[in-house]
Amino acid sequence: VKQGDTYETIIKGLDIPNIEKNIFLKTVTKNKNIDILKLNQKILFKIDKKDKTKIVNFIIEIDKKKNILFQRSNYETFISKIIEKNLIKTITYKEGIIKSSLYNAAIKNEIKPNTIIEFARLYGFQVDFQRDIRKRDKFQIMYEAYVDENRKLIETGNILFANLILSGEDNSLFYFDEENNAG
């Protein structure tokens, strides 16, 4: 999906009969899971050109974790089902030296902004990020990362270990999950 695309502009670009285009448009407008297109969203078509050109199925990416598959059930209808993507949970460890700010140091270490914000939130009550952090202080972080089959990072999970080393003093935090109390 490119800037300004609609389902109409996308299907118009395919070399298929107008009846097929209309069936596609009727199908997608009925489904509330996919009513808004997002930039760079993927739509994959399987088209049979053997006898009468027709769409066999199509897949629309809902979000980073889910796709929706539309499989042709008869001449004019498709049956849809949501497919969860197979994500692999990995543990990632990063550490760095703070030169100007924790945020900049973490970004240089390829830590996602949402993880940096969560890291800072964990220390929110004990560290004043304006006054307590000095040049050459250090940080360490271990967190869950979910990657797809191509090893591309899809999202991050819990921070399992965090340590801010301020003026040579460790400030370690550990994730726990005991008796339904996580923190």
Side-chain angles (χ1 to χ4, degrees), residues 38-131:
K38 297 173 208 94
L39 196 60
N40 298 321
Q41 185 177 10
K42 291 186 175 112
I43 302 174
L44 306 169
F45 292 92
K46 183 175 183 183
I47 298 172
D48 179 0
K49 292 187 175 189
K50 191 170 41 175
D51 297 322
K52 245 180 153 177
T53 300
K54 68 180 184 232
I55 300 171
V56 176
N57 66 42
F58 59 97
I59 298 170
I60 299 176
E61 186 178 59
I62 296 174
D63 59 33
K64 292 178 181 179
K65 294 190 231 173
K66 290 185 249 170
N67 288 336
I68 187 164
L69 167 68
F70 291 88
Q71 187 72 46
R72 188 162 225 134
S73 66
N74 64 36
Y75 179 71
E76 286 193 29
T77 59
F78 286 87
I79 296 173
S80 68
K81 77 175 179 182
I82 292 178
I83 301 170
E84 298 278 338
K85 293 182 185 177
N86 187 20
L87 299 181
I88 303 158
K89 179 178 164 182
T90 62
I91 305 299
T92 301
Y93 174 80
K94 305 270 182 153
E95 61 181 35
I97 298 171
I98 300 167
K99 293 181 181 166
S100 61
S101 73
L102 171 65
Y103 187 85
N104 288 340
I107 289 292
K108 283 183 182 170
N109 276 282
E110 299 176 349
I111 300 171
K112 294 284 183 193
N114 63 320
T115 303
I116 301 165
I117 291 165
E118 180 63 14
F119 183 90
R121 190 192 67 75
L122 293 173
Y123 286 100
F125 292 107
Q126 67 191 82
V127 174
D128 181 338
F129 285 93
Q130 299 295 322
R131 295 188 183 119

Side-chain angles (χ1 to χ4, degrees), residues 128-143:
D128 181 338
F129 285 93
Q130 299 295 322
R131 295 188 183 119
D132 294 344
I133 295 184
R134 308 265 185 267
K135 198 172 188 174
R136 290 193 284 286
D137 282 342
K138 298 175 184 169
F139 72 92
Q140 299 168 317
I141 184 171
M142 186 181 303
Y143 56 93

Side-chain angles (χ1 to χ4, degrees), residues 3-24:
Q3 186 72 35
D5 270 348
T6 62
Y7 286 113
E8 290 87 2
T9 60
I10 289 167
I11 198 69
K12 186 179 172 186
L14 295 179
D15 183 22
I16 58 175
N18 284 336
I19 186 103
E20 287 296 302
K21 292 177 183 180
N22 292 333
I23 294 169
F24 168 79

Side-chain angles (χ1 to χ4, degrees), residues 92 111-112 114-115 143-146 153-159:
T92 301
I111 300 171
K112 294 284 183 193
N114 63 320
T115 303
Y143 56 93
E144 298 167 333
Y146 295 90
L153 179 65
I154 300 301
E155 75 172 19
T156 57
N158 293 317
I159 294 176

